[in-house]
């Protein structure tokens, strides 16, 4: 009849009969878990899910309910898009959402951008959460906080997700100097992505680098930089970065559109670190030990997580 009903409000198994056919319908409810309801402008997730490089995004709206039913967020979304690399190949897709304004969700600090980890390849749904909670218990700086949520998109249940802080420079996130914002301020009115590219943009040759020909650098380009070690085959599609002398590709996540001087500065810092790691007694030609460049406690923990597949 197309009329709304509360006949299935309680969890359990129901028997539905239509003509001569009978169906079993099992209704499940998650106890003590918040619920996140997404609605996209197109009314479905098909265009987003088909985008291999996450270039397709949509505006939308979101209702986020706490476990007790109170409203944590009820407003429009500036953007919904896919995220992840290997995890994007799973049937259950991970997403990134961007709120219209900075909002503190579940006490994790105000921010616009958040990620939804699908945990598709982990039947327990626990590995990412355990790793993050362990890091928080160890008080490791810049560890993302997270909350389990049941996600519904356009009236369809997508499953249980981990709502996480996005790793990004900003207050309540990675609190270092925002060189990207400072570069934009030094070039008012200029869309940095339209600047000409420089360097080796098509491959991942050892010792190479790529940048944008940005007219003006800030007075101080020593920080902050948000870096990511990457696979060779993914590196060419990224905007700014460099490859160490031993062939390790490094992406500059922020500033995304880095100048030649900025890339040269941080490339030299990372190269000195690599030289120290491979140098005699852990020192480079400058006499610096690799521990002079790294937070060793954080490095040990993250290497352990990598070894455990977390």
């Amino acid at each position: 009849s197309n009329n709304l009903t509360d006949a299935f409000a309680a969890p359990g198994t129901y028997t539905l009969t239509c003509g001569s056919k009978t169906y079993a319908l099992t209704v499940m409810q998650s106890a003590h878990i918040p619920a996140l309801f997404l609605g996209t402008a197109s009314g479905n997730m098909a265009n987003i899910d088909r985008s291999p490089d996450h270039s397709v995004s949509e505006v939308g709206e979101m209702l986020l309910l706490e476990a007790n039913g109170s409203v944590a967020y009820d407003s429009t979304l500036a953007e919904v898009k896919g995220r992840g690399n290997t995890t994007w190949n799973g049937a259950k897709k991970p997403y990134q959402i961007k709120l219209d304004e900075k909002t503190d969700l579940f006490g994790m600090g105000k921010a616009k951008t958040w990620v939804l980890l699908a945990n598709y390849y982990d039947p327990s749904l626990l590995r990412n959460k355990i790793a993050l909670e362990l890091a928080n218990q160890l008080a490791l700086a810049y560890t993302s906080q997270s909350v389990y949520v049941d996600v519904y998109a356009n009236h369809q249940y997508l499953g249980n997700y981990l709502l996480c802080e996005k790793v990004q420079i900003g207050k309540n996130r990675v609190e270092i100097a925002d060189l990207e914002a400072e570069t934009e301020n030094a070039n008012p009115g200029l869309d940095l992505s339209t600047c000409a590219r420089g360097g080796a943009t098509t491959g991942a040759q050892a010792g190479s680098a790529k940048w944008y020909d940005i007219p003006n650098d800030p007075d101080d380009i020593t920080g902050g930089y948000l870096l990511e070690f990457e696979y060779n085959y993914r590196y060419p599609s990224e905007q700014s970065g460099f490859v160490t002398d031993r062939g390790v590709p490094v992406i500059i996540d922020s500033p995304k559109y880095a100048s030649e001087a900025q890339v040269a500065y941080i490339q030299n810092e990372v190269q000195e670190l690599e030289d120290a790691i491979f140098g005699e007694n852990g020192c480079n030609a400058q006499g610096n030990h690799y521990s002079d460049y790294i937070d060793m406690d954080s490095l040990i923990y993250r290497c352990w997580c990598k070894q455990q597949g977390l």
Side-chain angles (χ1 to χ4, degrees):
S1 64
N2 291 321
N3 292 326
L4 296 177
T5 177
D6 61 358
F8 310 111
T13 300
Y14 298 82
T15 300
L16 303 182
T17 302
C18 182
S20 61
K21 295 185 177 181
T22 300
Y23 305 89
L25 173 67
T26 300
V27 176
M28 296 179 291
Q29 293 180 355
S30 299
H32 312 301
I33 294 179
L36 189 154
F37 301 87
L38 290 173
T40 59
S42 65
N44 61 68
M45 303 293 286
N47 291 332
I48 295 174
D49 290 350
R50 283 195 296 260
S51 175
D53 58 356
H54 316 315
S55 60
V56 175
S57 63
E58 291 194 36
V59 297
E61 55 188 3
M62 184 179 84
L63 170 64
L64 180 60
L65 300 178
E66 297 187 27
N68 62 8
S70 60
V71 176
Y73 184 87
D74 185 9
S75 189
T76 53
L77 291 175
E79 183 180 63
V80 183
K81 67 176 185 177
R83 71 170 304 278
N85 293 301
T86 301
T87 56
W88 187 244
N89 297 323
K92 182 183 176 187
K93 303 294 186 185
Y95 299 103
Q96 177 175 293
I97 57 176
K98 186 176 183 180
L99 313 182
D100 274 342
E101 60 182 31
K102 292 183 178 180
T103 305
D104 182 356
L105 301 181
F106 303 113
M108 293 188 283
K110 285 188 175 182
K112 283 187 177 182
T113 307
W114 302 78
V115 298
L116 289 166
L117 301 183
N119 293 323
Y120 177 72
Y121 296 107
D122 173 19
S124 73
L125 306 180
L126 291 172
R127 289 186 299 191
N128 277 322
K129 182 65 172 175
I130 290 173
L132 293 172
E133 288 299 320
L134 178 60
N136 274 309
Q137 289 294 319
L138 294 172
L140 292 181
Y142 312 131
T143 299
S144 296
Q145 299 182 75
S146 62
V147 174
Y148 281 114
V149 294
D150 282 331
V151 176
Y152 303 79
N154 302 299
H155 310 293
Q156 291 188 340
Y157 179 56
L158 300 187
N160 181 267
Y161 281 71
L162 200 58
L163 175 68
C164 294
E165 299 176 276
K166 178 180 172 62
V167 178
Q168 60 184 155
I169 294 175
K171 188 177 180 180
N172 302 313
R173 297 299 181 260
V174 181
E175 296 189 358
I176 58 177
D178 191 344
L179 185 56
E180 184 169 296
E182 294 174 6
T183 304
E184 291 173 351
N185 292 336
N187 298 272
L190 176 63
D191 182 352
L192 301 183
S193 66
T194 63
C195 294
R197 304 286 300 279
T201 60
T202 59
Q205 301 85 4
S208 67
K210 56 183 177 180
W211 59 83
Y212 282 76
D213 290 325
I214 297 173
N216 304 307
D217 274 313
D219 293 335
D220 183 3
I221 63 168
T222 61
Y225 294 89
L226 194 59
L227 308 179
E228 179 181 351
F229 291 91
E230 189 53 282
Y231 292 106
N232 285 54
Y233 71 91
R234 292 178 186 163
Y235 176 78
S237 64
E238 300 293 338
Q239 277 69 35
S240 304
F242 55 89
V243 184
T244 70
D245 290 347
R246 292 171 177 80
V248 179
V250 182
I251 298 168
I252 303 177
D253 282 335
S254 184
K256 185 175 183 179
Y257 307 105
S259 71
E260 182 176 7
Q262 291 168 359
V263 174
Y265 171 82
I266 195 61
Q267 181 178 16
N268 181 69
E269 290 291 307
V270 174
Q271 190 58 58
E272 287 187 7
L273 164 62
E274 183 181 73
D275 292 344
I277 291 173
F278 286 90
E280 185 176 357
N281 298 320
C283 293
N284 57 25
Q286 291 76 26
N288 297 326
H289 192 264
Y290 62 78
S291 60
D292 295 331
Y293 299 88
I294 298 178
D295 181 327
M296 293 302 297
D297 290 340
S298 177
L299 175 66
I300 292 168
Y301 169 74
R302 296 181 195 284
C303 287
W304 176 83
C305 287
K306 181 72 173 178
Q307 184 182 47
Q308 299 300 314
L310 300 175

